[in-house]
Amino acid sequence: MLEQCKTARERWGGVHQLIDRWLDERRDLLVSFLELKEACDTELEAVSKPQIDRFSELLMDYISAGHFEIYPQLREEANAFEDHEALEIAGKLLERLELSTELVLAFDADYSTPVRCQHFLPRLPAWLDRLAKGLTERFALEDQLIARLHAAHTPKAEAQTE
């Protein structure tokens, strides 16, 4: 996953500051994910609530930025270019993104309090496996959104289509 994150950053980086910042948040999220996964693999009982909270906070911030900042801006851009096909594609991709959003919200709820965290700690490795799959798909869908709703409208892309 981390390698895919680097590839996406190389592909889309510099196109727009907001997207750049969001891809940086994605990278930070992945680093935190890997640290938490390693801690689980090493000694699950030693994983602390603050470790889980740090990951969960980055996860929720990333998801929120997508829903409330990035996706609306990408739609605005497609609207500005009257790219109705891109808007239709975006609608389908956003529907698919909801599945991983629901997964993230469920994870956050399971580990939201010290008591819940203690109760669900034995399930953390399985949760991380599920999140890895969900986030991998999410990142691919988000990259498609960026490609279709943003990169297609950059001056470089317009010059290639002429």
Side-chain angles (χ1 to χ4, degrees), residues 3-162:
E3 190 57 40
Q4 290 171 340
C5 176
K6 288 179 186 177
T7 303
R9 177 61 192 259
E10 289 168 3
R11 191 170 185 185
W12 310 119
V15 176
H16 190 277
Q17 285 183 346
L18 186 61
I19 293 171
D20 286 350
R21 182 176 52 92
W22 191 49
L23 292 174
D24 286 340
E25 289 175 12
R26 182 191 286 185
R27 183 186 181 289
D28 293 344
L29 170 62
L30 288 171
V31 168
S32 179
F33 173 85
L34 293 173
E35 289 171 352
L36 186 56
K37 179 104 173 90
E38 185 177 313
C40 284
D41 292 346
T42 303
E43 188 177 350
L44 179 60
E45 293 76 28
V47 174
S48 68
K49 172 92 170 96
Q51 286 175 296
I52 296 170
D53 286 347
R54 178 182 173 343
F55 169 68
S56 190
E57 182 179 322
L58 289 170
L59 186 59
M60 294 299 288
D61 287 349
Y62 179 82
I63 299 295
S64 295
H67 280 284
F68 300 113
E69 295 176 48
I70 304 298
Y71 308 159
Q73 180 155 340
L74 292 173
R75 280 186 163 176
E76 262 184 55
E77 188 170 342
N79 275 324
F81 282 90
E82 298 180 9
D83 191 343
H84 303 289
E85 182 183 341
L87 289 168
E88 187 177 321
I89 291 168
K92 292 175 184 174
L93 292 174
L94 291 170
E95 284 178 24
R96 291 177 58 198
L97 282 165
E98 282 303 313
L99 296 173
S100 65
T101 299
E102 291 172 15
L103 182 68
V104 166
L105 294 174
F107 173 82
D108 188 63
D110 276 1
Y111 295 92
S112 61
T113 67
V115 171
R116 291 181 66 81
C117 188
Q118 184 69 26
H119 177 75
F120 289 111
L121 188 62
R123 297 184 191 172
L124 186 58
W127 254 120
L128 293 178
D129 289 342
R130 288 175 54 200
L131 284 171
K133 290 175 186 162
L135 290 174
T136 297
E137 180 179 352
R138 181 182 198 91
F139 298 155
L141 292 170
E142 290 170 344
D143 289 348
Q144 289 177 46
L145 273 175
I146 293 168
R148 190 58 184 96
L149 275 74
H150 181 71
H153 303 126
T154 63
K156 186 178 183 180
E158 289 170 7
Q160 291 174 351
T161 60
E162 292 177 350

